[in-house]
Amino acid sequence: MMKQLNEFLIPFIGLKLGKHQFEFQINKKFFEGFDYDEFESCDIKVNVVLEKKSTMLELNFKHKGTVHVPCDTTGEMFDQPVKGKLRLVVQFGDAFNNDNDELLILPHGEHQIDLSQVIYEMIVLSVPFKRVHPGIKDGTLKSAALDKLNELRVKETKKEIKKEEDTDPRWDKLKQLLTDK
């Protein structure tokens, strides 16, 4: 069980009905709390609008920023942009239940909500599965790994061209018979 990060605990019981805005700056320390170390570092802003209604809460999360990760092709570190949004409805019931991604049930009498788990999952799921350094697409990245890949690619195409020229001289004679007609 991870330790609760206090800044993400929202005591909704003291809030008036209506909308309330919260903003969080997420960095590497946040992910260390979840023992997650896929990122070298990160800089992500999370906006949360909590709407308190008489019998439930509605939360709209939005995040945008970058995670510093290695490129899958070259291993070069780069800032991968990430963004996303999520809507969560909080209702009250007999027992805590978070089986549904869009509905959280808190036990009656609960007075605060911990947003850290939701924020954590939202960010992690927004990171692209394949991480490609933008310099690969626009040709600005110079790296040993890329040079090696390009070198191998060039050799492949040269080999293919050569194959067509290396024909067997015995066949050439037969081909001549066909064209001599």
Side-chain angles (χ1 to χ4, degrees):
M1 184 66 198
M2 65 155 281
K3 60 181 184 353
Q4 282 194 319
L5 300 160
N6 285 342
E7 65 177 299
F8 299 96
L9 277 179
I10 307 295
F12 56 82
I13 206 82
L15 298 175
K16 292 188 185 82
L17 292 180
K19 290 186 177 179
H20 304 271
Q21 286 233 10
F22 299 91
E23 196 173 276
F24 303 100
Q25 197 59 42
I26 306 293
N27 56 28
K28 171 100 169 124
K29 196 171 178 302
F30 173 80
F31 288 98
E32 285 167 0
F34 290 88
D35 292 326
Y36 184 83
D37 57 4
E38 288 277 306
F39 315 143
E40 191 77 18
S41 62
C42 67
D43 182 15
I44 299 165
K45 190 175 271 187
V46 178
N47 265 301
V48 182
V49 176
L50 179 153
E51 187 171 355
K52 184 177 180 182
K53 300 183 173 181
S54 51
T55 58
M56 59 184 237
L57 306 171
E58 241 182 67
L59 291 108
N60 282 293
F61 295 82
K62 246 191 189 152
H63 76 283
K64 191 177 181 170
T66 57
V67 291
H68 200 60
V69 291
C71 167
D72 290 338
T73 310
T74 64
E76 289 290 314
M77 297 304 293
F78 75 105
D79 284 331
Q80 169 74 59
V82 291
K83 66 176 186 188
K85 54 181 171 207
L86 180 86
R87 180 171 174 268
L88 180 68
V89 171
V90 181
Q91 291 180 340
F92 299 90
D94 298 330
F96 177 86
N97 183 330
N98 64 353
D99 293 344
N100 184 326
D101 288 346
E102 290 161 22
L103 176 67
L104 173 65
I105 295 176
L106 292 179
H108 290 296
E110 191 63 66
H111 64 281
Q112 58 184 14
I113 180 170
D114 182 3
L115 303 181
S116 58
Q117 182 71 34
V118 179
I119 290 172
Y120 166 76
E121 288 173 12
M122 175 176 80
I123 292 173
V124 169
L125 292 173
S126 74
V127 178
F129 188 65
K130 190 152 175 52
R131 300 153 187 187
V132 180
H133 194 295
I136 290 179
K137 293 184 191 115
D138 64 22
T140 56
L141 179 68
K142 300 287 172 245
S143 83
L146 257 189
D147 293 344
K148 191 74 193 153
L149 283 171
N150 287 330
E151 199 181 300
L152 293 169
R153 201 174 293 131
V154 169
K155 279 183 187 160
E156 282 299 305
T157 46
K158 278 186 183 158
K159 262 190 210 156
E160 287 164 21
I161 295 166
K162 206 167 184 310
K163 268 187 206 142
E164 291 167 16
E165 293 164 5
D166 289 347
T167 55
D168 188 319
R170 290 168 295 187
W171 289 112
D172 292 345
K173 290 265 184 255
L174 284 171
K175 277 186 192 157
Q176 257 175 337
L177 288 173
L178 290 169
T179 52
D180 282 349
K181 279 181 193 166

